[in-house]
Amino acid sequence: MKQIVRILRDPEADANVPLPRFATPGSAGADVYANLRPICRSAGQVVLPMERVLVPAGFRVEIPAGFELQVRPRSGLAHRHGITVLNAPGTIDSDYRGPVGILIANLGQKPYTIRHGDRIAQLIFAQVLDFAFADVQELAQSSRGEGGFGSTGSN
């Protein structure tokens, strides 16, 4: 049975831009669309090489307790244009109720224009387990020990 997630459009959002939706029944991620501010809607948002921009999605979301909403890049944009989500995966916490924005970075060599209504990222629900930290005097031994970056192989 599908869980229902409550979404509220922002007041200045364009109601013609779709809310997040799954492209196919087997999609893990829901496409999220650029819902640019009125002043940018006709020209789009240009992202220069090595620049980052916060692109509004036009909504707020009520994430169920015990879950996070991960923001991930779209593989086609990354492959064809070098467009990615900067802090991938980004996390939207279940107690956040503010506007959703997607932090986009252009790792390509050419400027890229995000158009109003473009699919810019995908949203994936992930369960969050409840943990607490305990201050201890020592940790259990492991076969890896203190080996850090590159310690498990030469590649």
Side-chain angles (χ1 to χ4, degrees):
M1 185 166 87
K2 289 186 182 183
Q3 291 194 36
I4 302 300
V5 177
R6 295 165 46 102
I7 288 184
L8 174 67
R9 285 190 193 268
D10 286 331
E12 67 177 21
D14 180 353
N16 294 314
V17 173
L19 292 172
R21 61 181 174 197
F22 296 93
T24 67
S27 295
D31 290 328
V32 63
Y33 300 80
N35 201 319
L36 302 179
R37 290 179 177 80
I39 196 167
C40 299
R41 287 182 184 161
S42 61
Q45 171 71 57
V46 176
V47 188
L48 299 174
M50 301 310 295
E51 184 180 35
R52 63 187 179 274
V53 297
L54 186 61
V55 180
F59 65 88
R60 298 159 190 250
V61 61
E62 188 176 314
I63 300 165
F67 289 86
E68 66 166 322
L69 194 52
Q70 295 182 353
V71 182
R72 297 186 185 184
R74 295 194 64 244
S75 59
L77 286 177
H79 175 68
R80 288 189 294 277
H81 305 287
I83 301 301
T84 190
V85 173
L86 190 57
N87 61 328
T91 292
I92 304 172
D93 296 307
S94 65
D95 58 351
Y96 177 68
R97 295 295 186 272
V100 171
I102 310 299
L103 187 56
I104 296 289
N106 182 353
L107 302 179
Q109 297 177 353
K110 298 177 184 175
Y112 182 80
T113 301
I114 297 170
R115 303 277 179 213
H116 184 63
D118 280 357
R119 292 181 299 163
I120 55 170
Q122 49 186 330
L123 302 176
I124 296 176
F125 285 93
Q127 189 170 11
V128 176
L129 302 176
D130 190 16
F131 287 94
F133 292 96
D135 188 3
V136 298
Q137 299 301 311
E138 63 182 295
L139 299 175
Q141 297 295 313
S142 74
S143 60
R144 183 173 179 172
E146 293 183 15
F149 296 103
S151 67
T152 61
S154 59
N155 293 340

